[in-house]
Amino acid sequence: MKLLSNSLMFLPLLALALTAVSSLKYSRNDFPPGFVFGSGTSAYQVEGAADEDGRTPSIWDVFAHAGHSGVAAGNVACDQYHKYKEDVKLMADMGLEAYRFSISWSRLLPSGRGPINPKGLQYYNNLIDELITHGIQPHVTLHHFDLPQALEDEYGGWLSQEIVRDFTAYADTCFKEFGDRVSHWTTINEVNVFALGGYDQGITPPARCSPPFGLNCTKGNSSIEPYIAVHNMLLAHASATILYKQQYKATARVNDFYIGWILHPLVFGDYPETMKTNVGSRLPAFTEEESEQVKGAFDFVGVINYMALYVKDNSSSLKPNLQDFNTDIAVEMTLVGNTSIENEYANTPWSLQQILLYVKETYGNPPVYILENGLSLSLSASLRL
């Protein structure tokens, strides 16, 4: 198979490159200060546990078990599903600063949509937390050649525009569940390679092609399907990107304005970049001496938490000559939960967990005291307690 041959041919070249680098004695000091060293994998390559804890088959499972020459099934693979702690420790021992991995869509959402698989959710939460504990940035890919087979069977997967809706909902789930700790996202891996291998040559899942362009396929049309698949992948990518910018990147801006406004100078010696960009010259600048005075000038962080807010981007509020704190944030916010007058604060205990995680992971895990939290109740409700 051509794809496998190319992969094997790359290995000697890689070895030669590593030898050359070693002889020149390159070190981290030869790279810019912000350069990040990391490694990358895909879910089907490393996770294993292919039929454990609620995971359903992906198109890679079906492809691998169909007996294609030179293709190994990922039933066990590197067994990262069970050995993620050992793997993360190896990364830390190597000095890696980032790890790019993909989420198995069918492990998180076994039907491709609908209810979350609790075991799958727990695995990715555990992996992300383990990476952060070891100072390694998690970089997440949403789709790496492994569409849930359920969606392939139902409507043809990437050949149908129905996939745009389901991919966006899947992305929304990932952003919502992991976005408090993950800042680096890739939507779809190797769009062109996936389309050509899967829909033109038939040498990768879902193994669709037509003669004489591809061989040994039982279905497909090499003349048109690669273009349809890429078209739908672009639409899905755009939909997920818009969702992220409107609902989740806006949330990061709110955190910068409400929390970073205070903590960023205390921890890093300066205001968040989002504030400096949106507020501009109206935001006072720290001198170098002031920055050193402010940085580290605290013993603990006091958290007061009563509510959670839904956030939606509203960049149109950034209007010249009509600016204050609320317009600078450029979002629309609504209260989560009960918004009645009798209950001004919503009962969202999970929001306290989220803010504690945010402070821990964004500001270096400082000592935290929970100074206030709770919810507002009417007198009658209080008496019932």
Side-chain angles (χ1 to χ4, degrees):
M1 293 178 64
K2 185 180 295 184
L3 183 64
L4 293 177
S5 298
N6 284 344
S7 297
L8 292 172
M9 287 175 63
F10 177 72
L11 294 177
L13 296 176
L14 178 62
L16 289 173
L18 291 175
T19 302
V21 169
S22 177
S23 66
L24 292 175
K25 297 182 179 179
Y26 282 117
S27 71
R28 288 177 183 267
N29 295 331
D30 296 296
F31 294 83
F35 193 92
V36 176
F37 291 85
S39 65
T41 63
S42 70
Y44 196 70
Q45 286 177 315
V46 298
E47 284 184 2
D51 57 357
E52 292 184 33
D53 291 342
R55 182 187 182 275
T56 59
S58 70
I59 57 175
W60 251 121
D61 293 277
V62 173
F63 179 80
H65 286 279
H68 294 277
S69 175
V71 177
N75 295 43
V76 178
C78 302
D79 200 22
Q80 187 171 91
Y81 185 77
H82 298 110
K83 298 179 178 178
Y84 68 91
K85 288 188 176 181
E86 294 95 318
D87 288 348
V88 173
K89 185 177 184 304
L90 286 171
M91 296 179 214
D93 291 343
M94 291 172 63
L96 297 183
E97 299 159 320
Y99 177 49
R100 176 178 177 245
F101 63 95
S102 71
I103 291 175
S104 170
W105 186 342
S106 62
R107 189 183 298 283
L108 190 64
L109 302 176
S111 298
R113 67 171 80 90
I116 298 175
N117 173 21
K119 292 288 188 180
L121 178 63
Q122 181 182 12
Y123 166 68
Y124 291 113
N125 274 325
N126 289 344
L127 174 60
I128 291 168
D129 289 345
E130 192 73 13
L131 289 166
I132 292 172
T133 298
H134 286 79
I136 300 173
Q137 299 174 6
H139 290 239
V140 174
T141 300
L142 296 176
H143 180 275
H144 196 131
F145 288 41
D146 59 349
L147 183 77
Q149 185 64 37
L151 301 184
E152 183 73 21
D153 294 339
E154 180 181 344
Y155 53 70
W158 289 108
L159 295 177
S160 168
Q161 285 202 7
E162 290 187 49
I163 193 67
V164 177
R165 172 202 63 205
D166 287 336
F167 181 79
T168 305
Y170 160 58
D172 189 23
T173 298
C174 293
F175 297 153
K176 187 179 302 178
E177 298 294 340
F178 313 124
D180 58 319
R181 290 152 293 162
V182 176
S183 301
H184 306 277
W185 298 93
T186 299
T187 51
I188 304 170
N189 187 77
E190 294 183 325
V191 173
N192 51 356
V193 175
F194 176 51
L196 293 174
Y199 298 92
D200 185 1
Q201 302 169 31
I203 57 175
T204 59
R208 298 181 65 91
C209 65
S210 59
F213 310 104
L215 303 175
N216 301 321
C217 293
T218 59
K219 52 190 174 182
N221 185 335
S222 298
S223 294
I224 188 172
E225 287 188 356
Y227 301 110
I228 295 174
V230 166
H231 186 74
N232 290 331
M233 281 186 264
L234 287 170
L235 293 175
H237 161 79
S239 179
T241 300
I242 292 169
L243 171 75
Y244 184 80
K245 288 182 177 179
Q246 289 182 344
Q247 295 191 26
Y248 295 95
K249 198 169 185 180
T251 303
R253 188 162 66 245
V254 170
N255 285 336
D256 277 347
F257 268 77
Y258 274 99
I259 301 171
W261 189 13
I262 312 303
L263 279 187
H264 226 76
L266 290 173
V267 174
F268 302 114
D270 200 1
Y271 294 114
E273 288 299 321
T274 50
M275 290 195 71
K276 292 195 285 187
T277 298
N278 284 18
V279 181
S281 60
R282 291 177 291 120
L283 184 69
F286 291 108
T287 66
E288 186 173 339
E289 182 180 359
E290 289 171 340
S291 176
E292 289 301 316
Q293 289 176 345
V294 172
K295 185 177 179 180
F298 69 100
D299 294 317
F300 68 91
V301 174
V303 169
I304 296 174
N305 174 265
Y306 285 104
M307 71 189 87
L309 298 168
Y310 287 120
V311 175
K312 182 179 180 181
D313 183 63
N314 185 25
S315 297
S316 61
S317 70
L318 290 170
K319 298 178 180 179
N321 304 320
L322 185 63
Q323 298 163 313
D324 75 340
F325 182 85
N326 291 314
T327 57
D328 290 333
I329 301 178
V331 297
E332 296 176 3
M333 295 185 287
T334 56
L335 195 65
V336 176
N338 190 340
T339 58
S340 66
I341 296 175
E342 292 81 8
N343 188 4
E344 179 185 356
Y345 296 136
N347 183 12
T348 55
W350 52 266
S351 66
L352 177 60
Q353 179 186 30
Q354 293 299 306
I355 189 62
L356 293 175
L357 282 171
Y358 180 79
V359 170
K360 173 184 177 181
E361 292 154 7
T362 306
Y363 295 106
N365 197 19
V368 171
Y369 292 155
I370 302 170
L371 301 182
E372 298 179 32
N373 78 294
L375 70 158
S376 176
L377 295 171
S378 66
L379 179 59
S380 59
S382 300
L383 292 175
R384 285 197 300 271
L385 293 177

